[in-house]
Amino acid sequence: MQASRIAAAVALAGSAVLALSAPAFAHVSVQPEGAAAKGGYAVVDFKVPNERDNASTTKLEVAFPADHPLASVMPQPIAGWTVQVTKSKLAKPLDLHGKKISEAVTKVTWTADGKGIEPGYFQKFPLSVGTLPEDTDELVFKAIQTYSNNEVVRWIEVQEDGAEEPENPAPVLQLSAATEDGHSHGSASAKDASAEHDDAKAAASGSAEAAPAADSSDTTARVLGVVGIVVGVAGVAYGVAAGRRRGTDSNARA
């Protein structure tokens, strides 16, 4: 019975390890590198975890919001992946820095050339996007993740105010207030906007390698912390069991 209690304590602490480590790789998400200011350009990363033990992620499709079209979308090359940017005609042309834009990006698709995202790993897919809208606080993207076993997971459910997070939430990019030196519609020439876009692309190249390491270190630290708790719980349980045995032996000799 004492051995059973020790095993139960270790199992409970082991469950805590999974509970703390799993949320870090819960679903497809999008985050800016730095700020995503309204009216400007930004580099954003779509973070894709592989949540299967027996299959790799081989394809990611990201649909862009039709209610806030983005005229400029530039992907960063990723080894082992091909990327396709799909554009469509706009029903109402955009006025971007004094220039009429008649089409916008509606979808970006990444397809693995090799193994893709294997079990136990994740991948970031950077994009330089702009100009960001000024009349909303967020952009909702809908993503479709395909595995090597042909399983398809649709991250397309929109979070409703006051409701619990849906099972397959769509990635949401939060926009910050426009900065004083940031571009807004009609406030800069197309040449200046293009130069800023190139700077954003360069920033993506310099930071894409460092980000995965930081995420991995954070998850590792949490897991190691809980493993320490597991060892502590097992030690206490063993001590209690040993104390009871000594007490029993003393009583027997008496």
Side-chain angles (χ1 to χ4, degrees), residues 140 142 154-159 165-172:
V140 178
K142 295 186 177 182
R154 302 177 183 277
W155 304 98
I156 61 174
E157 300 178 55
V158 179
Q159 174 73 53
E165 183 181 59
E167 182 177 356
N168 295 313
V172 178

Side-chain angles (χ1 to χ4, degrees), residues 200-237:
K201 183 180 178 182
S205 177
S207 60
E209 295 182 359
D215 290 337
S216 178
S217 298
D218 179 65
T219 301
T220 301
R222 282 184 289 176
V223 173
L224 289 177
V226 179
V227 169
I229 296 174
V230 173
V231 174
V233 170
V236 171

Side-chain angles (χ1 to χ4, degrees), residues 126-138:
L127 292 175
S128 175
V129 299
T131 57
L132 298 172
E134 299 179 70
D135 57 349
T136 184
D137 294 327
E138 63 182 26

Side-chain angles (χ1 to χ4, degrees), residues 35-161:
K38 299 177 182 180
Y41 287 87
V43 174
V44 299
D45 295 326
F46 286 90
K47 182 178 178 181
V48 182
N50 188 349
E51 297 182 307
R52 301 295 179 264
D53 296 328
N54 58 352
S56 297
T57 296
T58 56
K59 187 177 182 180
L60 174 69
E61 301 171 76
V62 176
F64 280 64
D67 53 345
H68 294 97
L70 298 176
S72 179
V73 176
M74 297 179 66
Q76 175 184 330
I78 301 175
W81 295 81
T82 58
V83 59
Q84 179 181 359
V85 179
T86 303
K87 294 184 177 182
S88 299
K89 292 289 185 181
L90 295 173
K92 181 179 179 181
L94 296 175
D95 187 359
L96 184 62
H97 304 300
K99 182 179 179 180
K100 292 293 183 180
I101 305 297
S102 60
E103 63 179 12
V105 173
T106 53
K107 184 171 69 171
V108 177
T109 304
W110 290 268
T111 305
D113 294 331
K115 296 181 179 180
I117 309 172
E118 297 182 86
Y121 291 87
F122 73 94
Q123 176 71 53
K124 286 186 177 182
F125 297 89
L127 292 175
S128 175
V129 299
T131 57
L132 298 172
E134 299 179 70
D135 57 349
T136 184
D137 294 327
E138 63 182 26
L139 291 177
V140 178
F141 300 86
K142 295 186 177 182
I144 299 177
Q145 181 179 12
T146 302
Y147 286 90
S148 56
N149 60 1
N150 295 323
E151 179 187 2
V152 176
V153 181
R154 302 177 183 277
W155 304 98
I156 61 174
E157 300 178 55
V158 179
Q159 174 73 53
E160 300 293 341
D161 292 340

